[in-house]
Amino acid sequence: MRNRLIIVAAVAGLLYIFAAAASNGSAAPAAKKTVTVSVADDYFAPVAVKLKAGDRVRYLWSASNTDSHNVHLKKGPSGVNRRKFRSAAGQAGIDFAPRFKVAGKYHFVCTLHTEMQMDVVVKRH
Ligand SMILES: [Cu+2]
């Protein structure tokens, strides 16, 4: 009886190990994701976003804005072209969805409202 229990436990353990190996070995690369950040009067939401390299942020200007806003990269990882992380300014209807290829910390501001700040942290895969 005790032997049977040991065998059952051993088989369960092996199955667990095989399942773990299969999920690690054959897993497709994680799908790229897009995180939406609201650009509103006068704040970003959320103010902290975590991504993996290759993901995007879609900045979505709130339809109820009465102020004009922009999104400008103030500080980013070395080697990143800051001009690619600069939106136009406006109240609404702006399309800005940069992709983050380089790992590191990105600090964004609205240059029209210095209290509007947010961070994107990008990790390597
Ligand atoms: Cu603003």
PDB file of all heavy atoms in Angstrom, residues 39-44 61 67-71 90 109-116, ligand 1:
ATOM      1  N   VAL A  39      -4.616  60.810 -21.814  1.00  0.00           N
ATOM      2  CA  VAL A  39      -4.030  62.158 -21.772  1.00  0.00           C
ATOM      3  C   VAL A  39      -5.196  63.104 -21.509  1.00  0.00           C
ATOM      4  O   VAL A  39      -6.046  63.316 -22.378  1.00  0.00           O
ATOM      5  CB  VAL A  39      -3.337  62.501 -23.098  1.00  0.00           C
ATOM      6  CG1 VAL A  39      -2.728  63.898 -23.043  1.00  0.00           C
ATOM      7  CG2 VAL A  39      -2.278  61.451 -23.440  1.00  0.00           C
ATOM      8  N   ALA A  40      -5.259  63.614 -20.276  1.00  0.00           N
ATOM      9  CA  ALA A  40      -6.455  64.335 -19.848  1.00  0.00           C
ATOM     10  C   ALA A  40      -6.074  65.678 -19.223  1.00  0.00           C
ATOM     11  O   ALA A  40      -4.901  66.018 -19.107  1.00  0.00           O
ATOM     12  CB  ALA A  40      -7.245  63.485 -18.863  1.00  0.00           C
ATOM     13  N   ASP A  41      -7.093  66.452 -18.800  1.00  0.00           N
ATOM     14  CA  ASP A  41      -6.902  67.761 -18.122  1.00  0.00           C
ATOM     15  C   ASP A  41      -6.665  67.540 -16.632  1.00  0.00           C
ATOM     16  O   ASP A  41      -7.629  67.254 -15.920  1.00  0.00           O
ATOM     17  CB  ASP A  41      -8.127  68.640 -18.284  1.00  0.00           C
ATOM     18  CG  ASP A  41      -8.350  69.141 -19.704  1.00  0.00           C
ATOM     19  OD1 ASP A  41      -7.442  69.037 -20.523  1.00  0.00           O
ATOM     20  OD2 ASP A  41      -9.443  69.638 -19.955  1.00  0.00           O
ATOM     21  N   ASP A  42      -5.555  67.715 -16.047  1.00  0.00           N
ATOM     22  CA  ASP A  42      -4.217  67.831 -16.627  1.00  0.00           C
ATOM     23  C   ASP A  42      -3.387  66.718 -16.011  1.00  0.00           C
ATOM     24  O   ASP A  42      -2.615  66.949 -15.085  1.00  0.00           O
ATOM     25  CB  ASP A  42      -3.593  69.191 -16.271  1.00  0.00           C
ATOM     26  CG  ASP A  42      -4.299  70.352 -16.969  1.00  0.00           C
ATOM     27  OD1 ASP A  42      -4.709  70.195 -18.130  1.00  0.00           O
ATOM     28  OD2 ASP A  42      -4.438  71.413 -16.337  1.00  0.00           O
ATOM     29  N   TYR A  43      -3.576  65.543 -16.505  1.00  0.00           N
ATOM     30  CA  TYR A  43      -2.851  64.394 -15.955  1.00  0.00           C
ATOM     31  C   TYR A  43      -2.767  63.271 -16.997  1.00  0.00           C
ATOM     32  O   TYR A  43      -3.552  63.239 -17.948  1.00  0.00           O
ATOM     33  CB  TYR A  43      -3.548  63.859 -14.688  1.00  0.00           C
ATOM     34  CG  TYR A  43      -4.973  63.406 -14.920  1.00  0.00           C
ATOM     35  CD1 TYR A  43      -5.262  62.098 -15.282  1.00  0.00           C
ATOM     36  CD2 TYR A  43      -6.029  64.305 -14.814  1.00  0.00           C
ATOM     37  CE1 TYR A  43      -6.561  61.683 -15.514  1.00  0.00           C
ATOM     38  CE2 TYR A  43      -7.337  63.908 -15.046  1.00  0.00           C
ATOM     39  CZ  TYR A  43      -7.606  62.600 -15.397  1.00  0.00           C
ATOM     40  OH  TYR A  43      -8.884  62.195 -15.646  1.00  0.00           O
ATOM     41  N   PHE A  44      -1.795  62.394 -16.771  1.00  0.00           N
ATOM     42  CA  PHE A  44      -1.733  61.124 -17.493  1.00  0.00           C
ATOM     43  C   PHE A  44      -2.272  60.041 -16.567  1.00  0.00           C
ATOM     44  O   PHE A  44      -2.096  60.106 -15.352  1.00  0.00           O
ATOM     45  CB  PHE A  44      -0.287  60.755 -17.845  1.00  0.00           C
ATOM     46  CG  PHE A  44       0.376  61.682 -18.808  1.00  0.00           C
ATOM     47  CD1 PHE A  44       1.408  62.512 -18.392  1.00  0.00           C
ATOM     48  CD2 PHE A  44       0.003  61.725 -20.143  1.00  0.00           C
ATOM     49  CE1 PHE A  44       2.048  63.365 -19.279  1.00  0.00           C
ATOM     50  CE2 PHE A  44       0.637  62.570 -21.045  1.00  0.00           C
ATOM     51  CZ  PHE A  44       1.661  63.392 -20.612  1.00  0.00           C
ATOM     52  N   TRP A  61      -5.987  60.809 -26.135  1.00  0.00           N
ATOM     53  CA  TRP A  61      -6.438  62.115 -25.651  1.00  0.00           C
ATOM     54  C   TRP A  61      -7.899  62.014 -25.247  1.00  0.00           C
ATOM     55  O   TRP A  61      -8.740  61.538 -26.042  1.00  0.00           O
ATOM     56  CB  TRP A  61      -6.251  63.171 -26.737  1.00  0.00           C
ATOM     57  CG  TRP A  61      -4.909  63.817 -26.748  1.00  0.00           C
ATOM     58  CD1 TRP A  61      -4.646  65.121 -26.462  1.00  0.00           C
ATOM     59  CD2 TRP A  61      -3.631  63.232 -27.081  1.00  0.00           C
ATOM     60  NE1 TRP A  61      -3.301  65.376 -26.565  1.00  0.00           N
ATOM     61  CE2 TRP A  61      -2.652  64.238 -26.940  1.00  0.00           C
ATOM     62  CE3 TRP A  61      -3.222  61.955 -27.435  1.00  0.00           C
ATOM     63  CZ2 TRP A  61      -1.300  63.995 -27.179  1.00  0.00           C
ATOM     64  CZ3 TRP A  61      -1.872  61.709 -27.664  1.00  0.00           C
ATOM     65  CH2 TRP A  61      -0.938  62.726 -27.537  1.00  0.00           C
ATOM     66  N   ASP A  67      -8.116  71.616 -22.476  1.00  0.00           N
ATOM     67  CA  ASP A  67      -6.744  72.088 -22.619  1.00  0.00           C
ATOM     68  C   ASP A  67      -6.040  71.309 -23.714  1.00  0.00           C
ATOM     69  O   ASP A  67      -6.393  70.175 -24.014  1.00  0.00           O
ATOM     70  CB  ASP A  67      -5.945  71.867 -21.316  1.00  0.00           C
ATOM     71  CG  ASP A  67      -6.354  72.824 -20.217  1.00  0.00           C
ATOM     72  OD1 ASP A  67      -7.051  73.815 -20.511  1.00  0.00           O
ATOM     73  OD2 ASP A  67      -5.955  72.572 -19.069  1.00  0.00           O
ATOM     74  N   SER A  68      -5.010  71.928 -24.252  1.00  0.00           N
ATOM     75  CA  SER A  68      -4.149  71.274 -25.224  1.00  0.00           C
ATOM     76  C   SER A  68      -3.029  70.547 -24.480  1.00  0.00           C
ATOM     77  O   SER A  68      -2.508  71.064 -23.491  1.00  0.00           O
ATOM     78  CB  SER A  68      -3.567  72.357 -26.145  1.00  0.00           C
ATOM     79  OG  SER A  68      -3.076  71.778 -27.304  1.00  0.00           O
ATOM     80  N   HIS A  69      -2.691  69.341 -24.961  1.00  0.00           N
ATOM     81  CA  HIS A  69      -1.626  68.559 -24.317  1.00  0.00           C
ATOM     82  C   HIS A  69      -0.705  67.946 -25.364  1.00  0.00           C
ATOM     83  O   HIS A  69      -1.107  67.735 -26.514  1.00  0.00           O
ATOM     84  CB  HIS A  69      -2.217  67.420 -23.480  1.00  0.00           C
ATOM     85  CG  HIS A  69      -3.183  67.889 -22.443  1.00  0.00           C
ATOM     86  ND1 HIS A  69      -2.794  68.596 -21.343  1.00  0.00           N
ATOM     87  CD2 HIS A  69      -4.529  67.749 -22.359  1.00  0.00           C
ATOM     88  CE1 HIS A  69      -3.865  68.879 -20.617  1.00  0.00           C
ATOM     89  NE2 HIS A  69      -4.923  68.384 -21.215  1.00  0.00           N
ATOM     90  N   ASN A  70       0.497  67.628 -24.913  1.00  0.00           N
ATOM     91  CA  ASN A  70       1.406  66.843 -25.743  1.00  0.00           C
ATOM     92  C   ASN A  70       2.082  65.800 -24.864  1.00  0.00           C
ATOM     93  O   ASN A  70       1.906  65.778 -23.644  1.00  0.00           O
ATOM     94  CB  ASN A  70       2.429  67.737 -26.458  1.00  0.00           C
ATOM     95  CG  ASN A  70       3.315  68.508 -25.501  1.00  0.00           C
ATOM     96  OD1 ASN A  70       3.633  68.033 -24.407  1.00  0.00           O
ATOM     97  ND2 ASN A  70       3.739  69.701 -25.894  1.00  0.00           N
ATOM     98  N   VAL A  71       2.834  64.931 -25.514  1.00  0.00           N
ATOM     99  CA  VAL A  71       3.607  63.907 -24.803  1.00  0.00           C
ATOM    100  C   VAL A  71       5.032  63.988 -25.323  1.00  0.00           C
ATOM    101  O   VAL A  71       5.260  63.769 -26.528  1.00  0.00           O
ATOM    102  CB  VAL A  71       3.044  62.493 -25.044  1.00  0.00           C
ATOM    103  CG1 VAL A  71       3.838  61.446 -24.270  1.00  0.00           C
ATOM    104  CG2 VAL A  71       1.567  62.417 -24.662  1.00  0.00           C
ATOM    105  N   GLY A  90      -2.421  69.083 -28.781  1.00  0.00           N
ATOM    106  CA  GLY A  90      -3.810  69.344 -29.145  1.00  0.00           C
ATOM    107  C   GLY A  90      -4.744  68.903 -28.047  1.00  0.00           C
ATOM    108  O   GLY A  90      -4.308  68.343 -27.036  1.00  0.00           O
ATOM    109  N   VAL A 109       6.703  63.971 -20.183  1.00  0.00           N
ATOM    110  CA  VAL A 109       5.993  65.135 -19.640  1.00  0.00           C
ATOM    111  C   VAL A 109       5.100  65.710 -20.739  1.00  0.00           C
ATOM    112  O   VAL A 109       5.298  65.447 -21.930  1.00  0.00           O
ATOM    113  CB  VAL A 109       6.966  66.249 -19.171  1.00  0.00           C
ATOM    114  CG1 VAL A 109       7.856  65.747 -18.045  1.00  0.00           C
ATOM    115  CG2 VAL A 109       7.788  66.774 -20.332  1.00  0.00           C
ATOM    116  N   CYS A 110       4.124  66.488 -20.296  1.00  0.00           N
ATOM    117  CA  CYS A 110       3.426  67.401 -21.193  1.00  0.00           C
ATOM    118  C   CYS A 110       4.120  68.736 -20.996  1.00  0.00           C
ATOM    119  O   CYS A 110       4.153  69.253 -19.877  1.00  0.00           O
ATOM    120  CB  CYS A 110       1.953  67.495 -20.829  1.00  0.00           C
ATOM    121  SG  CYS A 110       1.107  68.854 -21.670  1.00  0.00           S
ATOM    122  N   THR A 111       4.690  69.282 -22.060  1.00  0.00           N
ATOM    123  CA  THR A 111       5.468  70.517 -21.887  1.00  0.00           C
ATOM    124  C   THR A 111       4.571  71.716 -21.601  1.00  0.00           C
ATOM    125  O   THR A 111       5.051  72.763 -21.192  1.00  0.00           O
ATOM    126  CB  THR A 111       6.331  70.809 -23.136  1.00  0.00           C
ATOM    127  OG1 THR A 111       5.461  70.992 -24.259  1.00  0.00           O
ATOM    128  CG2 THR A 111       7.307  69.686 -23.412  1.00  0.00           C
ATOM    129  N   LEU A 112       3.260  71.555 -21.791  1.00  0.00           N
ATOM    130  CA  LEU A 112       2.321  72.652 -21.529  1.00  0.00           C
ATOM    131  C   LEU A 112       1.829  72.654 -20.082  1.00  0.00           C
ATOM    132  O   LEU A 112       1.298  73.655 -19.603  1.00  0.00           O
ATOM    133  CB  LEU A 112       1.132  72.548 -22.487  1.00  0.00           C
ATOM    134  CG  LEU A 112       1.520  72.470 -23.966  1.00  0.00           C
ATOM    135  CD1 LEU A 112       0.307  72.190 -24.831  1.00  0.00           C
ATOM    136  CD2 LEU A 112       2.213  73.746 -24.400  1.00  0.00           C
ATOM    137  N   HIS A 113       1.975  71.515 -19.419  1.00  0.00           N
ATOM    138  CA  HIS A 113       1.558  71.389 -18.008  1.00  0.00           C
ATOM    139  C   HIS A 113       2.608  70.536 -17.315  1.00  0.00           C
ATOM    140  O   HIS A 113       2.534  69.307 -17.361  1.00  0.00           O
ATOM    141  CB  HIS A 113       0.187  70.710 -17.894  1.00  0.00           C
ATOM    142  CG  HIS A 113      -0.873  71.367 -18.719  1.00  0.00           C
ATOM    143  ND1 HIS A 113      -1.217  70.940 -19.972  1.00  0.00           N
ATOM    144  CD2 HIS A 113      -1.620  72.463 -18.451  1.00  0.00           C
ATOM    145  CE1 HIS A 113      -2.160  71.747 -20.462  1.00  0.00           C
ATOM    146  NE2 HIS A 113      -2.419  72.667 -19.563  1.00  0.00           N
ATOM    147  N   THR A 114       3.544  71.189 -16.664  1.00  0.00           N
ATOM    148  CA  THR A 114       4.693  70.446 -16.147  1.00  0.00           C
ATOM    149  C   THR A 114       4.296  69.450 -15.067  1.00  0.00           C
ATOM    150  O   THR A 114       5.060  68.528 -14.751  1.00  0.00           O
ATOM    151  CB  THR A 114       5.761  71.402 -15.595  1.00  0.00           C
ATOM    152  OG1 THR A 114       5.134  72.297 -14.686  1.00  0.00           O
ATOM    153  CG2 THR A 114       6.427  72.179 -16.716  1.00  0.00           C
ATOM    154  N   GLU A 115       3.095  69.605 -14.476  1.00  0.00           N
ATOM    155  CA  GLU A 115       2.653  68.617 -13.479  1.00  0.00           C
ATOM    156  C   GLU A 115       2.238  67.306 -14.143  1.00  0.00           C
ATOM    157  O   GLU A 115       2.081  66.294 -13.458  1.00  0.00           O
ATOM    158  CB  GLU A 115       1.504  69.166 -12.630  1.00  0.00           C
ATOM    159  CG  GLU A 115       0.161  69.316 -13.349  1.00  0.00           C
ATOM    160  CD  GLU A 115      -0.010  70.670 -14.032  1.00  0.00           C
ATOM    161  OE1 GLU A 115       1.008  71.276 -14.445  1.00  0.00           O
ATOM    162  OE2 GLU A 115      -1.170  71.119 -14.154  1.00  0.00           O
ATOM    163  N   MET A 116       2.082  67.322 -15.456  1.00  0.00           N
ATOM    164  CA  MET A 116       1.723  66.081 -16.159  1.00  0.00           C
ATOM    165  C   MET A 116       2.996  65.308 -16.463  1.00  0.00           C
ATOM    166  O   MET A 116       3.777  65.699 -17.331  1.00  0.00           O
ATOM    167  CB  MET A 116       0.975  66.385 -17.466  1.00  0.00           C
ATOM    168  CG  MET A 116      -0.420  66.951 -17.261  1.00  0.00           C
ATOM    169  SD  MET A 116      -1.231  67.371 -18.817  1.00  0.00           S
ATOM    170  CE  MET A 116      -1.452  65.767 -19.577  1.00  0.00           C
TER     171      MET A 116
HETATM  172 CU    CU B   1      -0.923  69.110 -20.845  1.00  0.00          CU
END
